[in-house]
Each structure stands twice: as C-alpha cells, then as structure tokens.
Amino acid sequence: MFFYNKLKLFYVELRLWDNIIIMNNRIDKSKHTGSRILIYSHDTMGLGHLRRCRAIANSLVENYKDLSVLILSGSPIIGSFDFSERVDFVRIPGVIKLNDGEYTTLNLAIDIEETISMRASIIKHTADIFDPDVFIVDKEPTGLRGEVLETLKMLKNRGKHLVLGLRDVLDSSAALEPEWKRKNVLPVLRKLYDEIWVYGLPQIYEPLNDLPLPKKVLNKITYTGYLKRSVKNTYNSIERFFPKKESYLLVTTGGGGDGQELIEWVLSAYENDPLLPYPALFVLGPFMQPELQEEFMKRCKKITRTHAITFDVQMEDLESNAAGIVAMGGYNTFCEILSLDKKAIIIPRTSPRFEQYIRASRAEELGLVRMLDDNGKLDPELMAKAIKQMPQQKKPSEIIVPGLLQGLENVNRLVQPWIEKKEKFSESNIKNITPLRRA
C-alpha cells in the first residue's frame, strides 16, 4: 500500500512479486519474468468500476498462468473483496462525487487539487515500478481530472500497449460530446491509446457512434460483448435469510449512494400488499447514508416477509439464489442478471447521467428485462403489479442475442498478443545468458 506525507515524500510498500529485484526503490526491468497488466479504476461513486475491473483481472490470471495484474483504485472498500492469486491492488486516496457533479476528498481534510496531485503521483510511481506490458484505463480516458495523463505518456514512450475500456453506455451523446471536449479527450484517443474496448454490443448501444471522431480513432474500437459473471464460492443465502427456504426477490441498489428511491418504492409495495409472490431481500448498499439505512432496516423488521442488509461481497451468490431481481440497472448488475439468467425489473436513474435509462430501455426493447420508469410518484400499487407479473416474464436466455456474454473471453483474446510477445522476449533473454562454468 502507499502512504503520502505532507512533504510529498513517498513510502512505497508493494507486495512481493516473484522475480522482481528492487534496487534503491527501482526495479531492474531486465530481470522481469511473467507478463503484467495494470488496471486503473478511478472509483468516485458506487462499486461499478471496481467490480468490473475485478472481474477482468480475475479472468485474466485464470487464463494466463504467468500473468500478474495490479489494480489502482480509490474505492474505500476495495479491501473487502476477494481477489484471485496474482491479482493485487494499490489503494489511492479516495475522492467522492457529490450530487452537483463536483468532487471532494473522501477522508483527508485537504484540498481536492492536492488530493488529485497525490493520486497522480502515486499512479505514475506505481506504473514506473510495476512496468506493465498492458495498461487498461477504465472509463475515464485521462483519468479523474487528468490524473493518468502523465502515466499514459510515460508508458507510451516505453512502447507499452495502452487500452481504454468503456462500459456499453457512458451517457447520452448530447452530454458526452461537450464533456469530452472540455476534458480534451480526442488528442489522447488519437495519439496515446492503441485500442478502445467497449464491454457491450453494438446491437444494444454504440456509445461513441454520434461523436465526431476521426476514422483513426473509430478503427481502434472493438465490441467485446458483456462481461459474464459466475458464482464460485457459494453459500445458501436462502437458508441464511429465509428459514422456510422460499424463493426470494433480491432488491439491490449497487453502491447505494443514490438508491433511496428504489428501496422506498419496493418497500412501500410490500408494506401495502401482503400478497406479493416472493419474500424480499433488500441490499441497501455500503454508500447509502447511515440514517437512511437505519430507517429502512427498521421498516423491514416490521414486515415478516422482508429482510435488509447493508452490503455483501458475494452479491453473485445472492443473485444466483434469487427468483428475480429489482435493481437500478448499473452495468455490473445488468451483466449479473444476464449471466445468472434472472428475471428482472429495472428502475433506472436519469441523473446525473442517462446511462442506466439508455441501457434499460434498449434491453427492454430486446425483451431481456422489464423497465419500470420512475415518474416521481413511487406508486406502491404500480410496483406491486410489476412484481406480481414477474413470474410470467421471460428469462434473458430465452432471447437470442449472438455474442451477448463473450466479453471476458474476448478480453483474454485481445491481450494474448502482448502476453505472447513478453514470453518470447523472456525466452530470448534466457537463451542469451552465458552459462556459469566451474573454475
């Protein structure tokens, strides 16, 4: 982990990787063995970026036995998650996005500009030492307020492979174009990045289609398909929360920072209608305000068929045991609904971005989910009706969409040339070593 003092001096504590030689806080890069991938996740709101990067990292090391993956993240709860062997993380100082779109430091009582400067230095220093073969930047082309720009330039000069990874939907084109113009993204896409991976399908949405991008940038885009999730370390959540072993409805907000209305709407339906077909498990989210968490938990305790928890790192297990899911429709929850083949009702947010609404409406058009548009009234009867109709919904697997869940498989294929290049280079170095001889 990294700690940064007030004089802006680093003390670096990196976990030990095999065959790394540290010399005066530098690495003898000629002694590298095994390929390395560095993933940047800015994580200023919710869990989406971290969970997507974690899924990619775990899949990569599962397929490439000599690969190490390091994740740079500002998430305050990254340590709560399990990671595969040869996946590690560096926690950079946290920043949180406020409702007005501005950013502030999460824990430290210092200015946001100083925090960004610290983060940028840690990111660059880590990349310098780790010396990755591939650098994957999640969502933000230049990082939060440009914090990865210097790192991108440094790695580009070293001939490293630079990838921008984008979720299927970023925002409406009308909102995205001025945002990227303000951040001066186009020169970075044109000059620095080698590839742009979109973790989705053009049949559902093309996030960059309406932007005035040159052909050189458009040719860098590859649609991978959605990132399939699986359940590995399962435990019986039905028995854990519902002793009668009833199939339950899972209600999840993701991170929970903006999930108050979703919980209120579904919970009010259960308070007003005792005949709903499933008991309900509410996952409020770790970033929901504590006073709201307390209020919702008290209300759930008054209803015999509802249970509420704050957070569970094994969300895939909770989802796999559920009869259906009600969610806001963030990228990761959508991937899990598809992967675990669950009937779902999506209530997308429309602020500060239209991302969830675009994804949910396109998925509903294809028949993959049902979308329930929140018109501000939070009518409990409308929600109750949708839950009662859920047993008649189709499962996602009943809708044929070619390549829908091949995202992780294709990501592994896309990194293969750079991993093989490193392996050939290592083998060449071994062949050129003069063997030791006895005197």
Side-chain angles (χ1 to χ4, degrees):
M1 303 302 151
F2 291 74
F3 300 91
Y4 191 92
N5 65 18
K6 294 181 180 179
L7 296 177
K8 296 186 178 179
L9 296 175
F10 287 106
Y11 170 75
V12 180
E13 178 185 321
L14 289 175
R15 297 188 186 182
L16 181 63
W17 294 289
D18 290 340
N19 303 307
I20 291 182
I21 299 176
I22 300 182
M23 301 168 59
N24 296 325
N25 245 14
R26 301 289 294 180
I27 293 178
D28 181 358
K29 297 176 178 63
S30 67
K31 301 294 180 72
H32 279 193
T33 59
S35 300
R36 299 176 183 184
I37 294 178
L38 182 64
I39 302 178
Y40 162 83
S41 174
H42 72 289
D43 295 303
T44 59
M45 184 176 184
L47 300 171
H49 305 288
L50 170 59
R51 294 185 68 208
R52 179 166 56 248
C53 293
R54 172 177 172 262
I56 291 170
N58 287 344
S59 175
L60 287 169
V61 297
E62 184 179 335
N63 283 276
Y64 296 102
K65 302 308 178 187
D66 292 323
L67 174 66
S68 294
V69 180
L70 186 64
I71 300 174
L72 290 157
S73 171
S75 173
I77 62 170
I78 188 171
S80 301
F81 289 90
D82 294 327
F83 293 89
S84 298
E85 291 184 11
R86 293 176 285 111
V87 177
D88 211 335
F89 62 88
V90 171
R91 164 79 161 86
I92 57 179
V95 170
I96 189 169
K97 189 174 185 179
L98 303 174
N99 290 334
D100 61 3
E102 293 299 314
Y103 294 93
T104 186
T105 304
L106 181 61
N107 291 318
L108 302 176
I110 62 175
D111 182 77
I112 182 64
E113 295 302 329
E114 187 176 1
T115 303
I116 295 297
S117 179
M118 289 168 54
R119 285 167 57 109
S121 296
I122 295 172
I123 291 165
K124 186 176 180 181
H125 194 69
T126 303
D128 182 29
I129 294 178
F130 189 60
D131 193 36
D133 303 291
V134 179
F135 182 31
I136 303 174
V137 174
D138 186 72
K139 184 188 175 285
E140 291 290 340
T142 62
L144 177 62
R145 292 196 174 185
E147 65 184 3
V148 299
L149 192 54
E150 291 304 313
T151 300
L152 287 168
K153 292 177 181 178
M154 177 185 72
L155 295 178
K156 188 70 174 181
N157 289 335
R158 294 184 186 179
K160 305 301 182 178
H161 196 63
L162 306 181
V163 177
L164 175 62
L166 302 177
R167 65 189 181 218
D168 58 342
V169 186
L170 297 172
D171 201 345
S172 66
S173 298
L176 184 62
E177 184 175 347
E179 177 185 339
W180 276 18
K181 185 176 182 179
R182 184 179 72 253
K183 294 178 179 179
N184 201 27
V185 166
L186 182 56
V188 179
L189 299 182
R190 189 175 63 247
K191 297 177 182 179
L192 296 181
Y193 282 106
D194 299 296
E195 292 188 84
I196 301 171
W197 300 344
V198 179
Y199 306 127
L201 291 177
Q203 301 95 300
I204 293 183
Y205 196 70
E206 297 178 81
L208 308 181
N209 190 48
D210 295 326
L211 302 186
L213 300 177
K215 187 176 181 180
K216 181 179 180 180
V217 172
L218 294 174
N219 289 341
K220 297 180 181 183
I221 299 174
T222 298
Y223 288 87
T224 67
Y226 289 87
L227 305 177
K228 187 175 183 178
R229 311 303 168 86
S230 60
V231 182
K232 293 183 178 179
N233 301 315
T234 60
Y235 57 94
N236 198 324
S237 52
I238 294 180
E239 293 181 357
R240 178 182 171 193
F241 297 109
F242 301 101
K244 294 182 180 180
K245 299 182 180 181
E246 300 175 85
S247 296
Y248 60 86
L249 182 72
L250 180 69
V251 185
T252 173
T253 64
D258 53 1
Q260 175 185 356
E261 289 190 352
L262 169 67
I263 299 298
E264 176 63 40
W265 199 1
V266 181
L267 184 55
S268 65
Y270 275 85
E271 289 173 331
N272 286 275
D273 193 336
L275 301 179
L276 295 179
Y278 314 107
L281 173 61
F282 292 83
V283 183
L284 305 179
F287 301 125
M288 180 176 284
Q289 295 179 13
E291 57 270 24
L292 290 174
Q293 291 177 347
E294 183 179 0
E295 176 191 341
F296 286 134
M297 286 186 171
K298 285 181 180 179
R299 288 169 61 183
C300 281
K301 287 180 180 179
K302 296 178 181 179
I303 307 171
T304 57
R305 302 179 70 229
T306 62
H307 191 94
I309 61 174
T310 300
F311 175 60
D312 197 305
V313 295
Q314 298 288 348
M315 278 300 297
E316 291 89 346
D317 175 78
L318 299 183
E319 290 163 335
S320 68
N321 286 314
I325 296 173
V326 180
M328 295 176 65
Y331 179 84
N332 290 284
T333 302
F334 183 62
C335 287
E336 288 149 5
I337 287 169
L338 299 180
S339 302
L340 301 173
D341 200 24
K342 296 298 174 179
K343 300 175 181 181
I345 300 170
I346 303 297
I347 297 96
R349 68 165 182 243
T350 56
S351 176
R353 297 186 181 274
F354 275 93
E355 166 224 343
Q356 293 186 359
Y357 183 88
I358 294 170
R359 178 182 300 115
S361 60
R362 290 293 295 122
E364 184 180 49
E365 288 174 14
L366 292 171
L368 295 169
V369 301
R370 176 176 180 181
M371 185 181 80
L372 204 58
D373 193 5
D374 174 17
N375 58 9
K377 296 180 180 179
L378 303 181
D379 182 0
E381 292 185 4
L382 180 62
M383 176 60 69
K385 181 179 178 181
I387 295 173
K388 288 177 178 179
Q389 292 174 344
M390 181 177 276
Q392 284 73 51
Q393 279 185 228
K394 289 185 177 180
K395 291 184 175 182
S397 62
E398 297 179 61
I399 310 300
I400 306 301
V401 182
L404 184 64
L405 288 169
Q406 292 183 348
L408 289 176
E409 180 182 341
N410 287 324
V411 166
N412 277 276
R413 288 175 177 170
L414 288 166
V415 303
Q416 185 176 0
W418 308 101
I419 292 176
E420 289 180 346
K421 181 180 178 181
K422 179 63 173 287
E423 290 173 348
K424 289 178 181 178
F425 177 78
S426 299
E427 290 172 3
S428 175
N429 279 353
I430 292 171
K431 289 177 182 178
N432 292 330
I433 294 176
T434 302
L436 292 174
R437 296 176 181 174
R438 292 182 182 277

